[in-house]
Amino acid sequence: MRTIITAEGITKTFDLGEVKVRALRGVDLDIHNGDFVAIMGHSGSGKSTFMNIIGCLDLPSEGMVFIDGEDISKLDKNQLADIRNKQIGFVFQSYNLLPRTTAMENVELPLLYNGNFSASERRALAKEALEKVGLGDRLEHLTNQLSGGQQQRVAIARALVNDPVVILADEPTGNLDTRTSFEIMHIFQELNEQGKTIMLVTHEPDIAEMTKRNIVFKDGRVVEDLTIKNPVNAKKELEKMPPEKDVITQTA
Amino acid sequence: MKFINLFKIALKALRKNVFRTFLTMLGIIIGVASVITMLAIGQGSKDSIEGSISDLGSNLVMVLPGSSDKGGVSLGLGTSKPLDTKAVKDIAANCPSVKWVSPVSGDKAQLVAGSNNWLADVVGGNEDYVNIRSWKIHSGRNFTKVEERRAAKVCLLGKTVVEELFGTYSNPIGKTIRINYVPFKIIGLLEGKGADIMGDDQDDVVIAPFTTVQRRLLGSTKVQMIFASAYSNEVSETAKKEIEAILLKSLRVKKEDEVFSIATMEELTKTLTSASKTLVILLASIAAISLLVGGIGIMNIMYVTVKERTREVGLRMAVGAKGRDILLQFLTEATFISFVGGTIGVLLGMVAAMIFGEYVDDWEIVITPFSILLAFGCSFLVGVFFGWYPARKAANLIPIEALRYE
Ligand SMILES: Nc1ncnc2c1ncn2[C@@H]1O[C@H](COP(=O)(O)OP(=O)(O)OP(=O)(O)O)[C@@H](O)[C@H]1O
Ligand SMILES: [Mg+2]
């Protein structure tokens, strides 16, 4: 299988003046095309720091990161912006949508910074991405008119829209209840089945069980790297749950 | 990113916060409007002062007894030699740059017409006096050289005098008034000039032949002043020199004696315009201060706006915005606010200046392109700079720092 992300000897030290926080102390990792990875570990073990570096949102202190074969430590700011735009889709725990803006506009945002798409192409792609996450009927809703789960789905659509090589999600279900979390996981599983490489951070074992590979961080190092033979199917888990009263969401 | 997209993003951002956008604009609007208004008022006063100076008479050259440096108080009565009519004749005969010259004497006198009476300045001059002072004859005629020589008891009345003695819409030409009990025939009416620079009513005047005033009213052969008119503004200094030379000869005095002094319109204009310049500067500084305060308002709001949106900047960068995109976005916003605010400010300032001009009599309002440019330019720069500066700071952050910003 093709390797999409390679991390070699990544360290990250935060210099807080008096103290130096060594958030990552040498991480080596290969992520292959079509992987579905959950990163786990205690709070403060360096999961977010690692994701941010892979996502080109932050720079490592030492080490090299290859994304799709390209050494990103050699790139300048503008080239990194291009990588973030075209190769990576980032999903945040706190959604990070533009306030008082429609779902469509939020999803179109990465395309605006791409420059290769006309307005009608942007709309078509954004609509398609929103339909994929089951929000085809909420296109013109303002973000503050959506539930947390719906907002996170808008964020996933935004991460999808530029067809990145990998989706990185830092605790995407951290703010959501179990049912909504499973709905989000169902979307991720579907996307993964369609071939999308996905990496997510989670604290919850039952979320991690829905992925294909679990990596555990401890004190800035990878201490475990397991392959999950039979990932739990999120859709089936959802069906087992008692039906919700005022159901608005229906996953595709 | 294409500019049109940028413009759309900027407009959207502004629309999302209409009230704040308006507040930011308000700073610009007030600053620009106050500069426009203040400069319009100041420039207007300057122009109206200059206007009233030329009201005194075109290219006027005045000869006054005594030294002007000593405030007209001569060195002592003994040494003070009065001007005389011979000097006037000598000037008329020997000064090529002088178009008209007239002796001037006068005093306040009691005017009586029927049952009305009124106290006004009665000024005596020769037949050219009205030309020297740029008086226009509204109706009737000026007195002639012959009448002047014969000391004819004729006079011209200023507008205020006519109103006081005969009523506003009257035509008293041909009627007789008594000036200090001496009957004078009214032969002409002067057109109104309004107030002079000192605020005195210039129309509260009676003009009569010099000889008549001298003999009938003053009973003195003294010539109080000599007024002359140079051919043009350019030669008024030459005229001054010619007059000075002739007078020294004619009166047989030395320059050091300071028996007389000569003032030209140009000098007077200079002193008075410098006074009005002071006013303009004063008003301009008030305007500058309000522009500054407005500017600080813009800075403040711009700064807070961009700071507050640092997370938004982070998010935009996370999905692929380059530093340049971020900068241009905020720059577009700032430019838009400055431009719209500046335009409203200019219009508002013009309206305010016009309202001022409407309610304050005799005050021309002059709106110069310079003041518009100045106000607009300043606020524009302030708006753009303070939108750009924090935006650049945010754009230079690495995305995670911007995202983490609180
Ligand atoms: N910007 C920063 N400045 C200083 N220290 C930081 C910064 N970001 C992270 N750290 C430190 O680095 C370490 C790793 O943080 P990180 O956010 O990667 O942990 P995490 O595994 O994501 O934890 P959690 O599960 O709570 O999200 C922590 O000790 C944290 O305090
Ligand atoms: Mg974390």
Side-chain angles (χ1 to χ4, degrees):
Chain A
M1 243 191 300
R2 192 160 65 98
T3 307
I4 279 200
I5 293 170
T6 304
E8 277 179 25
I10 300 292
T11 70
K12 179 76 184 181
T13 307
F14 293 103
D15 192 347
L16 303 179
E18 310 238 310
V19 284
K20 287 188 169 42
V21 181
R22 295 176 65 198
L24 295 176
R25 312 179 178 213
V27 178
D28 300 295
L29 210 56
D30 280 329
I31 308 289
H32 306 290
N33 193 22
D35 257 358
F36 188 8
V37 181
I39 294 180
M40 306 195 61
H42 293 296
S43 186
S45 56
K47 305 180 294 292
S48 295
T49 308
F50 181 70
M51 290 290 267
N52 292 339
I53 288 170
I54 299 295
C56 300
L57 298 175
D58 205 352
L59 299 168
S61 303
E62 294 168 301
M64 288 196 287
V65 179
F66 295 87
I67 294 176
D68 220 8
E70 191 161 23
D71 182 2
I72 60 162
S73 53
K74 295 213 163 58
L75 302 180
D76 68 16
K77 276 187 168 183
N78 285 343
Q79 289 168 316
L80 285 176
D82 265 336
I83 297 277
R84 287 195 296 271
N85 186 237
K86 300 197 176 86
Q87 317 276 63
I88 289 162
F90 214 104
V91 178
F92 303 90
Q93 179 176 355
S94 51
Y95 327 132
N96 271 336
L97 301 177
L98 290 180
R100 276 164 292 165
T101 308
T102 64
M104 279 294 275
E105 283 169 334
N106 269 285
V107 177
E108 277 185 55
L109 198 60
L111 300 174
L112 270 176
Y113 291 109
N114 187 322
N116 292 334
F117 300 98
S118 70
S120 58
E121 284 170 323
R122 286 200 301 268
R123 283 195 68 79
L125 285 170
K127 189 160 176 271
E128 192 188 325
L130 280 165
E131 276 162 359
K132 256 188 205 166
V133 298
L135 284 179
D137 56 344
R138 292 275 187 293
L139 301 181
E140 300 301 333
H141 278 59
L142 294 178
T143 48
N144 54 335
Q145 297 167 342
L146 297 173
S147 71
Q150 288 168 332
Q151 289 188 47
Q152 193 60 299
R153 281 195 267 164
V154 173
I156 293 169
R158 182 179 64 192
L160 270 179
V161 74
N162 244 345
D163 194 26
V165 295
V166 63
I167 288 181
L168 304 174
D170 192 353
E171 298 191 43
T173 60
N175 286 359
L176 304 174
D177 61 22
T178 312
R179 184 184 187 89
T180 321
S181 298
F182 285 7
E183 283 166 5
I184 295 293
M185 285 312 289
H186 172 55
I187 292 171
F188 279 136
Q189 283 185 336
E190 272 189 340
L191 290 171
N192 182 246
E193 265 158 43
Q194 291 159 20
K196 194 73 33 202
T197 311
I198 298 166
M199 250 175 107
L200 58 81
V201 173
T202 182
H203 282 282
E204 321 206 14
D206 46 351
I207 294 287
E209 278 169 14
M210 293 173 175
T211 67
K212 300 200 278 200
R213 184 180 168 193
N214 289 1
I215 295 170
V216 182
F217 273 60
K218 197 181 172 205
D219 297 333
R221 285 195 186 89
V222 176
V223 293
E224 250 181 291
D225 191 344
L226 313 166
T227 306
I228 307 292
K229 295 269 164 49
N230 295 307
V232 174
N233 186 306
K235 197 175 180 199
K236 286 200 180 120
E237 291 303 305
L238 277 170
E239 278 159 6
K240 277 187 227 158
M241 291 177 119
E244 223 176 339
K245 278 279 160 57
D246 43 356
V247 190
I248 349 159
T249 55
Q250 186 66 61
T251 45
Chain B
M1 185 193 295
K2 292 196 197 97
F3 181 75
I4 180 74
N5 291 342
L6 212 76
F7 192 71
K8 276 187 200 152
I9 289 182
L11 270 191
K12 237 175 241 165
L14 292 175
R15 256 214 322 260
K16 257 189 274 172
N17 228 326
V18 176
F19 192 61
R20 169 172 304 177
T21 305
F22 171 71
L23 283 181
T24 315
M25 272 186 195
L26 206 58
I28 297 186
I29 293 172
I30 291 172
V32 169
S34 72
V35 169
I36 302 281
T37 316
M38 292 295 179
L39 288 184
I41 292 170
Q43 187 65 40
S45 87
K46 200 166 147 234
D47 285 10
S48 76
I49 285 176
E50 278 161 17
S52 54
I53 290 170
S54 66
D55 264 3
L56 275 179
S58 50
N59 316 320
L60 182 64
V61 182
M62 292 181 288
V63 183
L64 308 169
S67 153
S68 64
D69 298 342
K70 298 189 169 88
V73 179
S74 54
L75 297 167
L77 287 171
T79 60
S80 165
K81 222 174 163 183
L83 306 168
D84 55 26
T85 41
K86 179 178 162 287
V88 178
K89 277 189 196 115
D90 287 344
I91 292 170
N94 298 307
C95 296
S97 307
V98 172
K99 193 174 179 186
W100 297 304
V101 59
S102 168
V104 178
S105 284
D107 199 1
K108 281 226 178 290
Q110 189 70 35
L111 314 178
V112 180
S115 57
N116 297 330
N117 63 81
W118 183 246
L119 194 69
D121 275 324
V122 178
V123 178
N126 66 17
E127 70 282 2
D128 288 329
Y129 179 76
V130 288
N131 295 328
I132 295 171
R133 286 292 321 273
S134 305
W135 277 111
K136 291 202 181 64
I137 309 280
H138 173 266
S139 56
R141 62 175 180 89
N142 190 10
F143 49 84
T144 64
K145 200 172 182 139
V146 176
E147 282 169 322
E148 204 268 334
R149 201 183 308 138
R150 283 192 200 147
K153 286 180 278 181
V154 293
C155 68
L156 296 111
L157 301 189
K159 202 170 150 221
T160 308
V161 174
V162 173
E163 280 165 13
E164 291 299 336
L165 292 178
F166 298 99
T168 309
Y169 298 106
S170 54
N171 181 9
I173 289 179
K175 288 186 180 154
T176 301
I177 60 165
R178 287 172 181 277
I179 306 178
N180 285 0
Y181 307 110
V182 182
F184 278 72
K185 191 179 167 203
I186 301 166
I187 57 168
L189 304 182
L190 301 169
E191 219 156 70
K193 272 193 182 188
D196 67 11
I197 325 145
M198 313 307 287
D200 291 334
D201 183 5
Q202 300 183 87
D203 298 326
D204 196 5
V205 74
V206 176
I207 298 176
F210 179 76
T211 40
T212 321
V213 171
Q214 213 181 21
R215 287 177 206 164
R216 308 276 174 186
L217 298 179
L218 301 174
S220 136
T221 53
K222 240 168 90 175
V223 173
Q224 289 172 351
M225 296 178 283
I226 299 172
F227 278 19
S229 199
Y231 271 99
S232 71
N233 203 20
E234 288 74 47
V235 297
S236 66
E237 275 307 304
T238 324
K240 179 184 168 176
K241 291 206 184 80
E242 289 169 1
I243 291 171
E244 185 172 42
I246 296 295
L247 277 181
L248 290 175
K249 233 201 277 172
S250 176
L251 299 173
R252 283 183 223 144
V253 291
K254 291 202 191 74
K255 198 171 178 198
E256 306 84 78
D257 293 344
E258 297 182 332
V259 165
F260 60 87
S261 63
I262 306 177
T264 62
M265 275 306 298
E266 211 157 273
E267 291 161 347
L268 201 63
T269 312
K270 264 184 206 144
T271 1
L272 287 167
T273 37
S274 89
S276 71
K277 256 185 203 141
T278 315
L279 179 70
V280 173
I281 289 171
L282 187 80
L283 289 172
S285 4
I286 295 173
I289 289 170
S290 65
L291 193 63
L292 186 75
V293 172
I296 291 171
I298 305 168
M299 288 177 202
N300 191 16
I301 294 181
M302 278 293 179
Y303 201 77
V304 170
T305 304
V306 177
K307 279 264 173 197
E308 195 191 64
R309 282 162 62 189
T310 302
R311 276 174 66 89
E312 179 196 319
V313 169
L315 168 72
R316 286 179 185 277
M317 290 202 282
V319 299
K322 301 188 168 82
R324 197 190 55 217
D325 297 327
I326 301 294
L327 258 186
L328 280 175
Q329 178 194 333
F330 282 104
L331 216 56
T332 312
E333 282 182 31
T335 310
F336 183 84
I337 289 182
S338 304
F339 189 78
V340 174
T343 309
I344 297 175
V346 167
L347 295 178
L348 207 70
M350 285 173 155
V351 170
M354 280 166 196
I355 290 174
F356 181 88
E358 237 357 82
Y359 283 93
V360 180
D361 288 343
D362 291 336
W363 202 303
E364 280 295 309
I365 289 303
V366 182
I367 295 164
T368 60
F370 167 75
S371 65
I372 295 179
L373 229 81
L374 179 82
F376 212 86
C378 284
S379 60
F380 198 77
L381 286 183
V382 168
V384 167
F385 180 75
F386 282 92
W388 174 77
Y389 177 70
R392 197 197 57 160
K393 261 173 77 177
N396 280 343
L397 292 174
I398 56 172
I400 195 69
E401 280 168 0
L403 276 169
R404 283 242 178 84
Y405 185 86
E406 264 156 18

